[in-house]
Amino acid sequence: MPLELVGSDSMRYIMQTVGPILAAAILMGCDGEPQNGTTSTGITPQPSSPVVVSITSPEIAALSEPIFVTGTILARRSTNISPMVGGLIEEIYVNVGSRVEEGQPLLRMRQKDFEINVLRLSEAKRLAEAEYKDSVRDLENAIALREKQAFSVEQLDDRRTQVEVSAAKLGIASANLAEAQKELDDSITRAPYRGVITQRHVDEGAYVPSIMRSEHPVLQIQEIDVMVALVFVPEVYLTSIQLGTLGRVHIPSMNQTYESEVALINDRIDHKTRTIDVRLGIPNVDYAIKPGLFIEVELMPISRQGLVLSPNATMGLGSSRSVLVVEDGVVSQRTVQVRELSDGRLEILQGISSNAILVVGPSMRKVSDGSRVAISEHPYVDS
């Protein structure tokens, strides 16, 4: 019905009916919510409940990161042997693989030549001794005659000179004989130490020059009662190892592992490879280990203190990860710098302290930055 067609009595009726309804609406507020804090259904809203989570904290642990390197087995000592004197080799007593003791004969030169020389110089010494004795008697007679004024001073001085000359000749003869005797002794070459013969280059009948002119050895002997594990360690580990640092030497070809320790650290660093010459000793009583074998060595440096954490308390991969820290019942997400250890744990390098409380395990999927949490009564077991 158009408004202009409504009569005054009808308008009065409408206002009396609609007015109270409009007033009630104004009291309810423009947003349609009740002013007394109740919903239109009469139910009061409740705050959300905290999420129950499992927690963990970083631990301070002694860390010893192993150093893995490869290397070679060496003999403790290795000597190339040539005869001390030149001549014809008459007999060789050893072959490759022979075990020898210190001082044991290895080879013998033809000794007849040296024996003849000793005999000749022995006679030369006898002659020098006789001449010396004769010059001494002449000097004694000259002194007696001089006391009787039957000998001149010049003649006496001549006798004294003869004694000095004959004494010098005797000394030279004695030295020549001693040298010849030494050559006779050296005609038998002996082992300088207990070891094994690893090379033999000549046979009987070969002529070899003296050691001063020889460029090629006749034999090689090696001491292998104790073997040397030689490895080259990167220079970045220089401060991590020292004499006595424990090591484990594995020989793949023998499928054997030996416990050892660092016995030598070379003071020289190879500037081309930036490595350090490090050596460990391995007992080899049964001679089972051979020089030249390839080895894998695990060095265990001195332990240090570090902050470690289970990877189950972190999110992400690599060296930069996220953790969920609980403070006053509220979760906050933080970034930490970590390094993976050989046992699977993570070393915390930066981001949190040892007293940090972290959400761990499946609980991490239930919360996010800003979530309110409650601590579970059951401790988390790291699988």
Side-chain angles (χ1 to χ4, degrees):
M1 179 183 300
L3 186 58
E4 61 272 12
L5 297 179
V6 180
S8 58
D9 294 337
S10 299
M11 181 61 70
R12 187 179 299 108
Y13 173 77
I14 292 173
M15 294 300 296
Q16 290 176 350
T17 304
V18 176
I21 297 176
L22 292 175
I26 293 173
L27 292 175
M28 290 287 291
C30 298
D31 54 1
E33 296 182 358
Q35 299 298 314
N36 58 3
T38 60
T39 63
S40 59
T41 58
I43 301 176
T44 302
Q46 300 295 325
S48 59
S49 300
V51 179
V52 178
V53 296
S54 299
I55 61 169
T56 188
S57 292
E59 297 179 0
I60 298 177
L63 301 179
S64 180
E65 300 177 70
I67 302 170
F68 296 95
V69 288
T70 59
T72 305
I73 289 291
L74 301 179
R76 184 181 182 184
R77 285 189 284 183
S78 181
T79 304
N80 292 325
I81 296 178
S82 295
M84 295 294 294
V85 294
L88 188 72
I89 296 180
E90 193 168 59
E91 188 171 4
I92 299 178
Y93 302 110
V94 294
N95 290 304
V96 172
S98 297
R99 269 63 167 168
V100 297
E101 299 294 331
E102 180 179 354
Q104 179 178 330
L106 303 179
L107 61 90
R108 175 172 56 84
M109 312 298 290
R110 188 172 64 183
Q111 292 188 298
K112 192 64 177 177
D113 300 334
F114 302 101
E115 291 172 349
I116 292 174
N117 194 38
V118 168
L119 179 60
R120 178 176 61 83
L121 293 175
S122 295
E123 295 303 315
K125 180 183 178 182
R126 285 181 58 198
L127 178 60
E129 287 175 342
E131 291 179 349
Y132 174 73
K133 290 178 181 179
D134 186 57
S135 65
V136 170
R137 283 195 300 268
D138 287 346
L139 177 60
E140 291 174 350
N141 293 333
I143 293 173
L145 292 173
R146 175 60 187 164
E147 290 176 352
K148 297 177 181 180
Q149 302 296 321
F151 218 72
S152 66
V153 175
E154 290 78 7
Q155 289 175 317
L156 181 61
D157 290 340
D158 183 62
R159 296 295 186 276
R160 288 192 175 112
T161 301
Q162 289 298 322
V163 170
E164 292 177 357
V165 170
S166 60
K169 289 182 178 180
L170 177 59
I172 293 173
S174 298
N176 289 337
L177 177 60
E179 183 180 7
Q181 185 63 55
K182 182 68 169 59
E183 288 180 347
L184 177 60
D185 294 339
D186 288 342
S187 65
I188 298 178
T189 302
R190 301 177 183 275
Y193 47 77
R194 184 173 186 266
V196 59
I197 303 301
T198 52
Q199 290 183 24
R200 171 175 165 171
H201 299 287
V202 299
D203 294 317
E204 289 83 354
Y207 181 86
V208 295
S210 68
I211 189 172
M212 298 300 294
R213 301 192 303 270
S214 177
E215 296 180 357
H216 304 287
V218 174
L219 301 170
Q220 184 185 75
I221 183 174
Q222 291 186 335
E223 182 181 4
I224 60 174
D225 292 344
V226 175
M227 304 301 290
V228 176
L230 170 64
V231 293
F232 294 94
V233 179
E235 65 176 7
V236 295
Y237 297 112
L238 177 60
T239 58
S240 299
I241 57 175
Q242 62 182 9
L243 296 179
T245 295
L246 298 180
R248 187 175 293 111
V249 180
H250 178 65
I251 306 178
S253 59
M254 298 176 59
N255 195 27
Q256 292 289 332
T257 300
Y258 301 88
E259 302 294 332
S260 184
E261 62 181 36
V262 173
L264 182 147
I265 301 175
N266 199 332
D267 292 322
R268 175 181 175 272
I269 296 179
D270 191 323
H271 69 278
K272 295 181 179 179
T273 61
R274 294 299 175 189
T275 56
I276 313 163
D277 176 354
V278 176
R279 306 186 182 203
L280 302 86
I282 307 175
N284 188 33
V285 179
D286 56 358
Y287 288 7
I289 306 173
K290 310 300 181 185
L293 290 175
F294 172 78
I295 54 175
E296 299 170 341
V297 178
E298 177 186 359
L299 298 175
M300 289 160 279
I302 303 172
S303 62
R304 58 181 177 80
Q305 296 295 316
L307 198 61
V308 297
L309 181 66
S310 167
N312 291 334
T314 66
M315 298 180 293
L317 299 173
S319 60
S320 182
R321 306 194 184 191
S322 297
V323 294
L324 299 175
V325 181
V326 179
E327 291 181 333
D328 299 328
V330 178
V331 172
S332 62
Q333 183 171 326
R334 295 184 189 176
T335 299
V336 294
Q337 299 298 317
V338 300
R339 176 168 53 193
E340 295 187 31
L341 302 176
S342 58
D343 60 3
R345 295 181 299 172
L346 302 175
E347 180 184 6
I348 304 297
L349 304 178
Q350 186 178 359
I352 56 175
S353 61
S354 60
N355 56 5
I357 299 175
L358 309 176
V359 180
V360 65
S363 299
M364 299 177 67
R365 296 191 294 268
K366 303 177 184 179
V367 296
S368 59
D369 192 30
S371 298
R372 297 178 63 251
V373 296
I375 308 304
S376 172
E377 297 179 356
H378 304 287
Y380 174 75
V381 179
D382 195 351
S383 54

